[in-house]
Amino acid sequence: MSRSGEASHPPPAIELAGIDKSFGAVHANRNIDLKIGKGTIHGIVGENGAGKSTLMSILYGFYQADRGEIRIDGARVDIQSPDDAIAAGIGMVFQHFMLVEPFTVLENVMLGAEGGSLLRKGVAQARAELQRLERSYALEVDPDAVVGDLPVGLQQRIEILKALYRGAETLILDEPTGVLTPAEADHLFRILRQLRDQGKTVILITHKLREIMAVTDEVSVMRRGEIVDTLKTAETTPERLAELMVGRRVLLRVDKAAASPGAAMLDVRHLTLRDGRGVTRLDDISFEIRAGEIVGIAGVVGNGQSELLEVISGIRRATSGTVRVDGMPVDVTGTTDASYQRSIGVAHVPEDRHRMGLVVAFEENENAILGYHDDDAYLNGPFLDTDAVRDHARKRMEQYDIRPPDCRLKTENFSGGNQQKIVLAREMEQHPKVLLVGQPTRGVDIGAIEFIHHQLIAMRDAGASILLVSVELDEIRSLSDRILVMCGGRIVGERGPEASERELGLLMAGVGGPDPGATAGGPPR
Amino acid sequence: ADVNPAVVYDAGGKFDKSFNEAAYTGAERFRSETGIEYRDFEVQNDSQREQALRNFARRGHDPIVAIGFSQAQAVEKVAQEYPDTHFAIIDMVVDLPNVRSVVFKEEEGSYLVGMIAAMASKTGKIGFVGGMDVPLIRKFACGYVQGAKAINPDIEVFQNMTGTTGAAWNDPVRGGELAKSQFDKGADVVYQAAGGTGLGVLQAAADEGKYSIGVDSNQNHIHPGSVLTSMLKRVDNAVYDAFMDLKDDAWSTGVEVMGLEQDGVGWALDEHNEDLITDDMKSKVDAASQDIVSGKTKVHDYMSDSTCPVS
Amino acid sequence: MTGAQVAPPANARRRRASLPGWIEYAVLPLANLLAAFLVSGLVVLFVGENPFEAVKILLWGSLGFGEGIGFTLFYATNFMMTGLAVAVAFHAGLFNIGGEGQAYVGGLGVGLAALALDRYVPWWVTFPVAVAAAAVFGAAWALIPAWLQARRGSHIVITTIMFNFIASALMVWLLVDHLTPAGSMQPETRTFEAGAHLPELGGLFALLGLEIGGAPVNITLFVALAACVLVYVLIWRTRLGYEIRAVGFNPTAAVYAGISPVRITIVAMLISGALAGIMALNPIMGEQYRLQIDFVAGAGFVGIAVALMGRAHPVGIALASILFGMLYQGGAELAFEIPAISRDMIVVIQGLVILFAGALENMFRPGFIRGYGLFTEGRAPPAARAEGS
Amino acid sequence: MDFHSVILVLDSSVRLSVPLILAALAGLYSERSGIFDIGLEGKMLAGAFAAGAAGALAGSAIAGLAAGILASVGLALVHAYASITQRGNQIVSGVAINFLAAGLTAFLGYAWFSRGGQTPQLPASGRFQSLTWPGAEVVRDVPVVGPIYAELISGHNILVYLAILAVPFTWWVVYRTRFGLRLRAVGENPAAVDTAGISVVWLRYRAVIICGVFCGIAGSYLSIAQSAGFVRDMTAGKGFIALAALIFAKWRPWPVLGACLLFGLLDAVAIRLQGASLPGIGEVPVQFMQALPYVLTVILLAGFIGRAVPPKAGGIPYVKER
Ligand SMILES: Nc1ncnc2c1ncn2[C@@H]1O[C@H](COP(=O)(O)OP(=O)(O)OP(=O)(O)O)[C@@H](O)[C@H]1O
Ligand SMILES: Nc1ncnc2c1ncn2[C@@H]1O[C@H](COP(=O)(O)OP(=O)(O)OP(=O)(O)O)[C@@H](O)[C@H]1O
Ligand SMILES: [Mg+2]
Ligand SMILES: [Mg+2]
């Protein structure tokens, strides 16, 4: 897509040339060249960890590139800090919002653009300007509301307002829809189109191909720190993009035999959870999983999936409801904890291995028994039987091909995929009756994904009950025997694995058609 | 005899303008008169006392004078380890064959300055600020009150102690606050026996335009015109004598009591306060001195029975 | 518990993998120490004295003769106990600044045990009772901050600081109003009888041909050494230690693993407080034979420096506490020999060690990583870099 | 107690709470920016020493104050370098600074002046003298208003008034200026400040330097206004009481004033209460009064009287690239 020869074209709004960036051992961006035309919506897709956020953070001056240069409207600019980027007309909405929660909307918008060393004058100006922006883009929000109290959708709006308030000509959005319902996402896209039509440039990062196809004019694909191609959206297909993303043809379906479910292993009834602030996180959840069955939970992040896993695994106490494991009642509202749940055969692969599943500062062998460290096999009275622990770890490393095969290595020194395998090996090898799995393939490369998927199917075929939570609808659809959809802490529907992405998406947004299985009370069947 | 004297000051340091400085003055006098050098050491915390004494003894210093009652335990221990070395301790009795214990009749000196305070007071209210609340300091207070009552039986005496730990010797802010609170209650003369804390008392008196009375060393010069007089405790003589006695082979052990009679306590009159002390005051105080020395006036010693007949 | 999770091990682990152990645990601490001493030397120069002379006296005073060695070990005993106390809390992700107060209150236990028994039983009966009492009192003083941290999320750094002051007020009140015999000039208990005098190690050192004179080093030294071993075993060889470290590194993962951070926080602080409390044995029953005001004399804070220098490992702590013992003993000699240098110099050094080994621990690391990288360039990459799946 | 004694106790409370107010406000700037500071005590001590030494040597209160501020800011910069630039542990750095200050002040004081760590008594010119307000003597005998004006309002030194004025000033800075907005923001979410194009490092450095200035004034007050010279360990835990007051006030300027006055009052009462017994309670040990601020703070921290939530980013070094 070299257009350099055609002199008649205006220079691109943004041009990145030879950008290179490493974080210690991780080479996040490799020699990146990218041109983004003025008044276009430019998508950037790529797997987790491909380097998308890093690249945009460099453009925004948040990180400094090790090499390379940035040109804006044809002129080279030196972007040392976000300040420079803002001055150059770039605004960015980060993947993790950059808001000061105890501040009001107005204060957040003003921060860094106060218009003088005293606040009084700036406040009046900002209020007026906010009203104007609200009117022109239908970005309604109460300027005096405290940001921490607002729902994420509104918080994102504030981020956009922040950028526009600073006069951004180019707006970068990093995975803006991860936290939005499809309807909210559609509203966002309308705003983006409107911005483009007013001559602004938009860069949209996502790894959801549907969104790319729906809203962008051009799309660049990143893989392992490189831009592998830039295409006109109209001239490509999701399949082509997916192939570029992972570097080979992808088989999104997993080969598996039909399930032959046995007796109910996990039986959840009327499970309700209210958090410390009194917000209902789980609302009367009922379902069951039978032996030899994988049940997938689909839903937008933050609709209660995490809490569901945490309650069933004993990490969090439910407010009311009952859970039976293999027919035995468990006191999920009182005495149970993670270690009791394990003892009755509930294993848990948590969604976030760094935060929860591993103590990364431990040696690998210590993590290989995390949660099972009170098992007699590893103990000698109050003492740890280190030999037994290490033997056990070595065996698992071999079995799961965890590399490097050194069980005394600190866990933080293993790559993401291998860390995930450490967790999976630990939990699966207990041969649990019930396996709770959250985001099993997040940040894991394609080879490992296949391995993990096969392991899960094998466990199912061996008679385990598996509850699978994933943001990847493809993963849910290809692994699950049944799919439950969660929205707002409730189960809003049940579908078979053949349900279309559109159908599930509508349910996830809470706008699905009436579903007999989802009526409150009875378990879906 | 050959002497190689050493002195261990108490916390507060040798230039504390008070107790330790008196000891320093005595040692300096010995040096300038005899030309014999001495060594000294300022302890900064409790664990150092014993070590310092032992260090001097090990290095062959003799005699070794320890200043202050808090050194008693250390002297007791080290004197036993070095029975051939001569030790002296100020303000405390250590009963060992090689230790001389020098104690003062602070009540007598305090009695005299109590009289002066009562005579100088226009309000009929005077004050006392002590350092750490120990019997020794109550002894000062008791003598002071007795003297004041001898002049004016109706006089009101406010008494405060700065604290109950060693920190009370070194808290001029608190000393100043205590003095201020006494001034606020109407006192116009305050006597301090509080080491470093006392400097705060003297300062407060100077700031408020009231009178103060110094202690141990002559402190009249610190705020001329405000310091009415100072109760002298001749620690300098005690140190000088200890050095000298050994040099002249006149060393004696046992308890040495230094009262008015032995010129061990007294009151200071110099160019800084001569305008404050009238002839009448001076003659009354001198008369009382004589009465005490002759035994006609008995000043009660608080430490003899832990009570004070007046308050 | 976010507030309390700022303990040094969490910091230290950031880029640890990039350096081999011998640099990480030996060269780097030495570099930090060297920096602290260099700055201290400048301070000595600043008051017009010769730093080399000062170092000579310091070394001679602490190691040059029997009594010096005895004193060095006596002080080291204190610091070993308080250092271990700080370290155990570190491993649980807690910063226990309250060692000073816990040792102080531990001393109350020692004092009461001694006062109750010294006239009736020999020392070896009083001794275990006093150890137990010290541990219980010290642990009790750590309990409230621990409970507040665990249950109510109160920042343990702040609460332990507050508890140091409360301990001090409490002990002064008890000593002045209740424990001091009438007529005494000093707020301190009566001197104990032989039944509460711990045996000094003079005889033992004499066997080795060392005359330690009046140095009060006593059998508490063995208690401290035993505590080093026990803490090592506890932290790295027991299930409880595993749980403590898990909570210290990652409380969320600990909950996931069925470990209760509440329980571990409390247990770790109790152990920490008990270790600090036992320190009181050394000065009270080994040196002064009475309970005095402020007998801890900052040893609780020295424990922080010792634990940081010793990287929260018992071996490191033993070495660091001997170093600080040398500083304290040598510093006393130094103050004696060079009047212009007061003992406060060691407080300055202590501050600098905490600064360089603790707060600035990352200052030299990048340099060492770069240097080590240059040195190993071209060789096979270390195992840590092996490619993953 | 009659009215006059009440006034006098309050007067004393004001004098005693001044160093607390200054130090707590110092802590407010630093901690609001996300840099925890348990080194208030050390900076105050260094300030007190430098002020006492310079005041004695130069015979000028202004020179003393300048030296006090300089010394305190010096230590503040050490803290800033360790915790901002080197991203070290802020608690450890604070502990180190307390040790450094305790050691250096005693060491230098001892080496220079040989008075057991004290500085020489200051001449009148080396101290801040109390200012008598116009008409104070005239109205003194007017009932109620008279003593309030003559004792409580008039007759303090300039640093007392400075400390009291520093409270509304701080409120204004924190809530009404751009710097204040950014200060509050950086203590809650430094990344938000960073992405808004503001330098987190420079912002925090400024906050910590201001903290140093205030601590320096607090220390100077102790040695060259409240008393006439420096004494070893002069702060005697006031820095920690100030920290307690800051927490008690939940990091807000006006409540800081209230908490400091309360703690000052406790101290003033403790000084006067020796041996006095309270009706119904009996004799209150002085130590109890001394421990009360700490006990109250612990109770507050326990959440039994309100909840003290520190700035969210406090104590955590801001790390952009791992
Ligand atoms: N601040 C950082 N310090 C160190 N490494 C980082 C940092 N930020 C990102 N990385 C690493 O750089 C690589 C690229 O990360 P980046 O966040 O740019 O990916 P991404 O494409 O945005 O992924 P995702 O879809 O998960 O957001 C990853 O290996 C990541 O772990
Ligand atoms: N903190 C670290 N210290 C040392 N080495 C590290 C560190 N983090 C990662 N590495 C090494 O860098 C390499 C790349 O890490 P990264 O997480 O990017 O792997 P990856 O290519 O994404 O692998 P996977 O697909 O398994 O996730 C790994 O082999 C790992 O051992
Ligand atoms: Mg990203
Ligand atoms: Mg990876």
Side-chain angles (χ1 to χ4, degrees):
Chain A
M1 54 146 260
S2 157
R3 291 185 233 165
S4 47
E6 304 163 52
S8 60
H9 276 276
I14 304 284
E15 185 174 355
L16 301 172
I19 299 286
D20 214 276
K21 174 75 180 170
S22 295
F23 295 106
V26 182
H27 203 164
N29 284 165
R30 301 170 201 253
N31 194 24
I32 293 206
D33 292 313
L34 179 64
K35 293 193 182 107
I36 294 166
K38 199 166 178 57
T40 63
I41 299 181
H42 193 105
I44 298 182
V45 286
E47 284 189 296
N48 290 121
K52 308 179 294 282
S53 301
T54 304
L55 184 64
M56 289 302 117
S57 297
I58 289 170
L59 176 54
Y60 190 62
F62 192 62
Y63 296 146
Q64 261 63 61
D66 299 336
R67 268 194 306 284
E69 62 179 60
I70 299 170
R71 292 185 207 110
I72 293 178
D73 295 330
R76 181 178 173 172
V77 290
D78 189 20
I79 298 184
Q80 290 290 336
S81 69
D83 206 16
D84 298 336
I86 293 167
I90 299 173
M92 177 153 174
V93 176
F94 283 82
Q95 194 168 356
H96 309 283
F97 296 155
M98 298 293 183
L99 294 169
V100 183
E101 294 197 342
F103 276 19
T104 62
V105 172
L106 203 61
E107 284 175 317
N108 265 293
V109 170
M110 282 177 68
L111 186 66
E114 297 87 350
S117 56
L118 298 186
L119 290 182
R120 183 197 285 265
K121 217 173 73 204
V123 169
Q125 272 174 10
R127 200 179 283 277
E129 176 67 8
L130 265 189
Q131 271 165 10
R132 194 189 66 75
L133 287 172
E134 267 179 40
R135 262 180 277 113
S136 17
Y137 298 105
L139 287 163
E140 272 157 51
V141 53
D142 171 11
D144 296 313
V146 172
V147 164
D149 298 340
L150 298 177
V152 277
L154 277 182
Q155 292 190 358
Q156 187 176 61
R157 226 174 254 185
I158 298 161
E159 286 282 26
I160 296 173
L161 281 170
K162 258 168 77 176
L164 296 178
Y165 182 71
R166 275 150 238 254
E169 281 304 308
T170 301
L171 184 64
I172 308 165
L173 297 109
D174 191 352
E175 293 193 24
T177 58
V179 292
L180 302 184
T181 62
E184 282 173 322
D186 285 340
H187 183 145
L188 174 69
F189 295 149
R190 273 200 297 283
I191 293 167
L192 297 186
R193 285 193 201 97
Q194 199 181 344
L195 285 170
R196 172 190 58 193
D197 296 345
Q198 295 182 357
K200 298 200 191 292
T201 308
V202 176
I203 304 176
L204 176 68
I205 300 180
T206 178
H207 46 212
K208 296 183 185 160
L209 300 180
R210 177 179 80 90
E211 295 170 356
I212 292 293
M213 301 311 293
V215 68
T216 62
D217 302 311
E218 280 190 327
V219 54
S220 298
V221 183
M222 284 191 78
R223 184 170 76 231
R224 302 221 151 216
E226 288 175 287
I227 296 238
V228 287
D229 206 352
T230 297
L231 308 153
K232 290 221 181 310
T233 310
E235 295 166 7
T236 187
T237 62
E239 287 72 22
R240 171 83 189 121
L241 289 176
E243 203 180 309
L244 284 170
M245 266 165 71
V246 298
R248 64 174 197 194
R249 283 196 68 79
V250 269
L251 252 183
L252 289 176
R253 299 227 55 102
V254 181
D255 291 328
K256 62 171 192 208
S260 49
M265 275 293 179
L266 178 68
D267 184 12
V268 176
R269 303 268 165 150
H270 308 301
L271 202 59
T272 300
L273 172 72
R274 266 186 290 281
D275 66 11
R277 292 193 295 174
V279 178
T280 302
R281 298 308 200 85
L282 294 178
D283 189 0
D284 197 25
I285 301 269
S286 296
F287 66 90
E288 67 170 30
I289 307 180
R290 299 205 261 156
E293 187 182 37
I294 297 181
V295 171
I297 302 228
V300 177
V301 170
N303 277 278
Q305 306 94 310
S306 309
E307 289 81 359
L308 181 62
L309 289 182
E310 288 179 6
V311 166
I312 301 176
S313 63
I315 295 171
R316 246 177 128 138
R317 199 168 287 180
T319 310
S320 64
T322 59
V323 170
R324 279 165 189 277
V325 174
D326 197 9
M328 296 254 302
V330 182
D331 184 11
V332 285
T333 57
T335 57
T336 196
D337 68 0
S339 109
Y340 178 77
Q341 292 300 90
R342 283 198 181 83
S343 72
I344 59 167
V346 180
H348 178 201
V349 177
E351 294 177 288
D352 184 339
R353 59 179 169 263
H354 267 271
R355 206 174 63 86
M356 192 176 268
L358 293 167
V359 177
V360 291
F362 269 2
E363 290 175 5
E364 195 276 343
N365 66 80
E366 293 175 303
N367 270 312
I369 61 165
L370 188 71
Y372 301 96
H373 57 276
D374 46 7
D375 192 328
D376 287 339
Y378 312 124
L379 290 178
N380 239 336
F383 301 102
L384 282 179
D385 184 345
T386 26
D387 290 337
V389 172
R390 287 174 198 167
D391 272 352
H392 164 83
R394 274 184 217 110
K395 274 195 215 115
R396 296 291 165 265
M397 294 187 92
E398 202 183 306
Q399 216 175 333
Y400 279 76
D401 189 27
I402 296 167
R403 278 184 271 172
D406 173 4
C407 75
R408 305 266 342 246
L409 192 63
K410 285 245 163 67
T411 311
E412 61 199 348
N413 295 329
F414 288 85
S415 73
N418 281 304
Q419 289 179 350
Q420 183 70 341
K421 283 195 202 167
I422 296 170
V423 178
L424 281 163
R426 179 180 73 210
E427 301 302 323
M428 287 182 170
E429 284 313 304
Q430 297 298 324
H431 304 293
K433 294 174 184 161
V434 176
L435 179 65
L436 310 171
V437 194
Q439 319 294 354
T441 55
R442 179 184 275 175
V444 170
D445 69 36
I446 208 93
I449 289 176
E450 282 180 350
F451 176 81
I452 291 167
H453 284 176
H454 282 126
Q455 290 289 323
L456 288 172
I457 299 289
M459 274 199 78
R460 175 199 77 160
D461 292 343
S465 306
I466 299 176
L467 179 64
L468 170 71
V469 169
S470 174
V471 287
E472 306 294 336
L473 272 186
D474 289 340
E475 182 166 75
I476 294 275
R477 285 164 67 218
S478 55
L479 287 178
S480 308
D481 300 310
R482 287 189 287 134
I483 299 173
L484 305 177
V485 183
M486 279 187 81
C487 178
R490 306 170 60 95
I491 290 184
V492 292
E494 178 181 337
R495 293 290 184 272
E498 66 291 338
S500 75
E501 192 162 323
R502 205 189 96 82
E503 188 182 3
L504 292 173
L506 284 175
L507 275 173
M508 282 159 64
V511 291
D515 180 276
T519 47
R525 227 162 257 274
Chain B
D2 268 358
V3 289
N4 186 6
V7 54
V8 178
Y9 304 109
D10 206 347
K14 61 180 162 188
F15 296 126
D16 66 353
K17 292 203 181 314
S18 181
F19 185 56
N20 291 298
E21 193 159 332
Y24 169 73
T25 313
E28 284 292 306
R29 192 163 87 224
F30 173 81
R31 183 172 67 173
S32 65
E33 283 179 16
T34 64
I36 299 175
E37 289 296 326
Y38 69 97
R39 279 217 50 182
D40 60 1
F41 186 72
E42 303 171 55
V43 299
Q44 290 150 37
N45 66 39
D46 290 327
S47 65
Q48 274 186 305
R49 301 179 203 287
E50 208 177 295
Q51 248 185 322
L53 291 169
R54 191 177 289 120
N55 263 333
F56 280 137
R58 194 175 53 226
R59 286 168 167 79
H61 286 278
D62 195 22
I64 300 169
V65 181
I67 311 298
F69 65 79
S70 32
Q71 319 236 39
Q73 306 269 7
V75 169
E76 191 168 344
K77 206 161 170 189
V78 179
Q80 281 170 346
E81 291 170 22
Y82 292 89
D84 297 332
T85 304
H86 300 84
F87 292 86
I89 177 156
I90 309 292
D91 269 3
M92 194 72 178
V93 176
V94 172
D95 192 10
L96 284 173
N98 56 335
V99 180
R100 167 190 288 186
S101 309
V102 185
V103 294
F104 292 84
K105 290 192 161 179
E106 291 91 350
E107 71 277 14
E108 294 180 352
S110 300
Y111 184 93
L112 300 184
V113 299
M115 290 174 68
I116 296 176
M119 288 186 278
S121 171
K122 297 196 175 57
T123 57
K125 293 172 184 169
I126 59 175
F128 173 83
V129 175
M132 182 173 168
D133 190 358
V134 289
L136 178 68
I137 296 303
R138 297 206 176 181
K139 188 175 168 184
F140 279 84
C142 186
Y144 175 69
V145 181
Q146 291 175 66
K149 298 250 158 154
I151 295 291
N152 174 5
D154 298 327
I155 199 160
E156 203 177 334
V157 188
F158 308 118
Q159 298 185 37
N160 286 108
M161 297 292 177
T162 307
T164 48
T165 66
W169 301 120
N170 233 333
D171 193 345
V173 170
R174 211 172 175 81
E177 278 297 321
L178 287 170
K180 282 198 182 108
S181 80
Q182 296 182 349
F183 293 137
D184 290 341
K185 284 191 268 186
D188 54 357
V189 185
V190 171
Y191 172 36
Q192 61 90 1
T197 303
L199 295 178
V201 175
L202 303 184
Q203 183 73 52
D207 288 352
E208 306 256 312
K210 303 280 164 60
Y211 290 130
S212 59
I213 297 175
V215 79
D216 294 342
S217 286
N218 183 345
Q219 298 184 317
N220 294 359
H221 66 279
I222 296 180
H223 299 288
S226 170
V227 181
L228 191 56
T229 181
S230 300
M231 197 290 272
L232 300 176
K233 180 168 162 182
R234 304 304 298 264
V235 179
D236 52 341
N237 289 350
V239 173
Y240 177 84
D241 290 349
F243 288 6
M244 221 46 180
D245 287 355
L246 193 67
K247 178 174 169 290
D248 299 343
D249 293 321
W251 180 268
S252 62
T253 54
V255 182
E256 197 164 289
V257 180
M258 307 265 283
L260 267 180
E261 192 181 350
Q262 296 81 8
D263 210 13
V265 294
W267 63 287
L269 182 62
D270 61 12
E271 73 271 21
H272 300 296
N273 69 336
E274 57 193 5
D275 296 343
L276 307 176
I277 306 290
T278 62
D279 290 343
D280 173 51
M281 286 158 89
K282 185 168 170 354
S283 60
K284 277 193 178 138
V285 175
D286 286 344
S289 287
Q290 270 157 25
D291 287 350
I292 293 171
V293 171
S294 70
K296 200 170 137 204
T297 302
K298 283 245 173 303
V299 184
H300 178 79
D301 173 7
Y302 175 87
M303 285 171 73
S304 64
D305 60 357
S306 293
T307 58
C308 189
V310 292
S311 66
Chain C
M1 353 226 272
T2 48
Q5 295 296 325
V6 289
N11 264 358
R13 70 170 183 249
R14 207 186 299 138
R15 250 176 266 156
R16 186 168 281 179
S18 318
L19 282 175
W22 61 274
I23 294 187
E24 185 66 40
Y25 294 105
V27 178
L28 211 49
L30 283 179
N32 291 329
L33 193 65
L34 204 67
F37 275 105
L38 270 177
V39 179
S40 312
L42 293 180
V43 175
V44 171
L45 265 182
F46 186 60
V47 297
E49 298 291 337
N50 180 349
F52 297 102
E53 189 61 22
V55 171
K56 233 167 68 191
I57 296 174
L58 218 147
L59 286 175
W60 172 83
S62 55
L63 300 176
F65 58 102
E67 191 171 327
I69 295 177
F71 266 101
T72 296
L73 291 176
F74 170 75
Y75 291 124
T77 307
N78 290 342
F79 305 151
M80 233 178 272
M81 292 308 304
T82 52
L84 289 173
V86 175
V88 168
F90 269 176
H91 282 291
L94 303 163
F95 199 156
N96 178 13
I97 295 198
E100 189 80 6
Q102 289 143 19
Y104 208 170
V105 175
L108 181 63
V110 176
L112 292 179
L115 288 174
L117 298 175
D118 63 338
R119 293 182 171 148
Y120 313 108
V121 297
W123 72 266
W124 46 267
V125 177
T126 314
F127 173 64
V129 177
V131 171
V136 168
F137 276 66
W141 203 247
L143 177 62
I144 299 172
W147 183 84
L148 290 175
Q149 171 75 64
R151 281 276 171 214
R152 318 215 38 122
S154 325
H155 203 305
I156 201 156
V157 168
I158 307 290
T159 49
T160 49
I161 289 176
M162 302 294 141
F163 264 68
N164 283 341
F165 285 102
I166 300 172
S168 165
L170 174 76
M171 292 296 286
V172 170
W173 176 65
L174 283 175
L175 275 166
V176 170
D177 287 1
H178 298 284
L179 295 173
T180 302
S184 164
M185 293 273 207
Q186 294 278 61
E188 59 194 22
T189 64
R190 67 170 169 79
T191 304
F192 307 146
E193 310 279 320
H197 291 205
L198 294 181
E200 299 196 342
L201 302 183
L204 192 75
F205 282 98
L207 288 181
L208 304 172
L210 199 62
E211 185 51 60
I212 62 166
V217 56
N218 60 80
I219 59 164
T220 316
L221 175 61
F222 297 123
V223 176
L225 290 172
C228 285
V229 176
L230 288 177
V231 166
Y232 173 80
V233 171
L234 169 76
I235 297 294
W236 282 283
R237 287 288 176 268
T238 67
R239 176 179 154 189
L240 178 61
Y242 178 91
E243 296 182 336
I244 287 176
R245 286 182 297 130
V247 170
F249 283 130
N250 186 347
T252 319
V255 172
Y256 159 81
I259 303 165
S260 156
V262 171
R263 183 177 68 89
I264 293 299
T265 298
I266 291 177
V267 170
M269 278 301 287
L270 287 178
I271 296 173
S272 177
L275 288 167
I278 293 173
M279 171 258 154
L281 221 61
N282 198 38
I284 294 179
M285 279 174 61
E287 187 203 15
Q288 294 292 336
Y289 308 129
R290 60 202 133 96
L291 174 57
Q292 295 172 299
I293 290 282
D294 206 22
F295 72 87
V296 187
F301 294 114
V302 181
I304 297 170
V306 165
L308 286 170
M309 264 231 66
R311 301 249 152 185
H313 191 289
V315 173
I317 287 169
L319 293 175
S321 51
I322 289 174
L323 178 84
F324 272 91
M326 287 170 59
L327 281 178
Y328 267 67
Q329 165 57 19
E333 294 291 331
L334 185 59
F336 201 83
E337 291 294 332
I338 307 184
I341 297 183
S342 71
R343 234 174 103 98
D344 303 294
M345 189 62 218
I346 48 185
V347 181
V348 177
I349 298 178
Q350 198 174 312
L352 290 169
V353 167
I354 296 179
L355 188 69
F356 283 103
L360 292 176
E361 62 153 7
N362 292 325
M363 192 160 71
F364 299 124
R365 184 171 279 118
F368 275 99
I369 292 175
R370 227 172 298 130
Y372 184 75
L374 286 179
F375 184 70
T376 52
E377 202 140 281
R379 297 198 203 168
R385 299 283 163 75
E387 242 334 296
S389 62
Chain D
M1 260 199 276
D2 60 293
F3 177 71
H4 191 66
S5 341
V6 171
I7 292 293
L8 293 175
V9 168
L10 291 180
D11 190 38
S12 168
S13 314
V14 170
R15 288 196 296 270
L16 292 169
S17 56
V18 164
L20 304 181
I21 295 171
L22 289 165
L25 289 178
L28 189 144
Y29 285 97
S30 181
E31 303 211 341
R32 273 290 178 126
S33 85
I35 303 296
F36 279 168
D37 193 353
I38 63 170
L40 296 176
E41 172 86 0
K43 289 200 279 283
M44 221 158 117
L45 190 63
F49 172 73
L57 295 178
S60 146
I62 295 295
L65 181 64
I69 292 176
L70 224 63
S72 170
V73 168
L75 285 183
L77 285 174
V78 171
H79 187 51
Y81 177 72
S83 40
I84 305 171
T85 306
Q86 289 293 335
R87 298 175 193 142
N89 185 311
Q90 296 165 14
I91 305 286
V92 175
S93 166
V95 171
I97 279 166
N98 287 337
F99 275 107
L100 271 181
L104 277 176
T105 54
F107 177 75
L108 294 178
Y110 181 95
W112 287 342
F113 305 110
S114 238
R115 286 163 196 255
Q118 298 196 10
T119 60
Q121 283 281 106
L122 289 170
S125 65
R127 293 178 69 213
F128 288 102
Q129 305 291 340
S130 41
L131 309 171
T132 305
W133 285 33
E137 291 313 312
V138 182
V139 299
R140 183 175 288 275
D141 296 324
V142 178
V144 185
V145 189
I148 291 183
Y149 183 75
E151 294 284 352
L152 208 50
I153 297 178
S154 164
H156 296 288
N157 63 66
I158 183 86
L159 296 187
V160 175
Y161 302 112
L162 196 72
I164 304 288
L165 287 179
V167 176
F169 174 75
T170 299
W171 175 87
W172 178 79
V173 167
V174 169
Y175 295 105
R176 288 289 178 268
T177 68
R178 175 173 66 188
F179 174 73
L181 182 78
R182 295 176 172 190
L183 183 79
R184 284 180 287 138
V186 78
E188 291 292 333
N189 187 353
V193 170
D194 197 352
T195 53
I198 305 160
S199 161
V200 172
V201 169
W202 174 224
L203 190 52
R204 286 187 164 171
Y205 258 90
R206 274 181 291 170
V208 172
I209 289 171
I210 296 175
C211 169
V213 172
F214 274 79
C215 277
I217 303 176
S220 305
Y221 173 81
L222 289 176
S223 63
I224 65 172
Q226 198 177 15
S227 43
F230 173 82
V231 190
R232 258 181 94 99
D233 205 16
M234 183 160 217
T235 43
K238 290 189 179 65
F240 294 107
I241 300 238
L243 190 63
L246 178 62
I247 296 167
F248 211 73
K250 302 178 184 172
W251 294 268
R252 293 168 303 170
W254 285 111
V256 158
L257 178 65
C260 291
L261 285 174
L262 172 69
F263 292 170
L265 177 73
L266 286 176
D267 201 13
V269 171
I271 287 178
R272 270 144 239 259
L273 206 69
Q274 291 178 4
S277 55
L278 289 183
I281 304 174
E283 189 170 321
V284 182
V286 184
Q287 291 83 16
F288 176 78
M289 302 295 276
Q290 285 166 348
L292 206 52
Y294 306 112
V295 174
L296 285 177
T297 306
V298 170
I299 294 175
L300 174 88
L301 278 169
F304 295 122
I305 31 174
R307 200 128 182 68
V309 184
K312 207 154 134 205
I316 308 161
Y318 177 55
V319 181
K320 195 151 72 165
E321 303 189 23
R322 274 162 290 133

